[in-house]
Amino acid sequence: VNGVSVRDRGLVAGWLAVLAAAWHVRSPLLAAAAVALAAGGVFRVDCPAGAAGCNAGPLVLEPSLTGQVHAGAVAGYQLLLSVGLLVLASGDRRAGRRGPAVAALLAAVVPLLLAFNPLPLDPGVSQRLWVVAGQAALLMIAARPAARATVRP
């Protein structure tokens, strides 16, 4: 699309994917994660260390309100995504669905750990692994049976 960067198209696609996942499993936590992801994109800032230094945390971002809102929105997105997936894992476990419960648990924990850059990698590499793990979590949600809407009389 003319005039729209690849980065912006990726943000829109990611936001739509999270929103679709939330609708698919009827999760208000995942819907809130989609809102946080959108806020993180709207208030996106360039990292002072460049793309390779991204994911170094809010303390190294410019001290502007935009930088702090971006950092808070990204952190909120990850927290809401992880908690939403833990809720799914718990429901699967109670329903006796071991495979989906383990997949949801891993999808909740792995991106959360990668957000803290636990590996001896450049922060940019850790950020890209975080994005891949988050997208894998969305694929795992898409593979689940759709939640049934509750109809009240």
Side-chain angles (χ1 to χ4, degrees), residues 12 18 21-24 26-27 35 43 46 65 77 98-99 110 115 126 138:
V12 170
V18 176
W23 179 260
H24 184 67
R26 305 289 193 265
S27 171
V35 172
F43 292 97
D46 290 326
L65 178 61
Y77 159 74
R98 182 179 168 94
V110 171
S126 184
L138 295 177

Side-chain angles (χ1 to χ4, degrees), residues 31-71:
V35 172
L37 179 63
V42 169
F43 292 97
R44 185 175 52 231
V45 294
D46 290 326
C47 289
C54 199
N55 192 35
L59 297 178
V60 298
L61 287 177
E62 60 185 55
S64 67
L65 178 61
T66 302
Q68 296 308 312
V69 170
H70 171 77

Side-chain angles (χ1 to χ4, degrees), residues 99-126:
V102 170
L105 179 64
L106 289 173
V109 173
V110 171
L112 185 61
L113 290 175
L114 287 171
F116 291 102
N117 195 16
L119 305 172
L121 300 171
D122 289 333
V125 173
S126 184

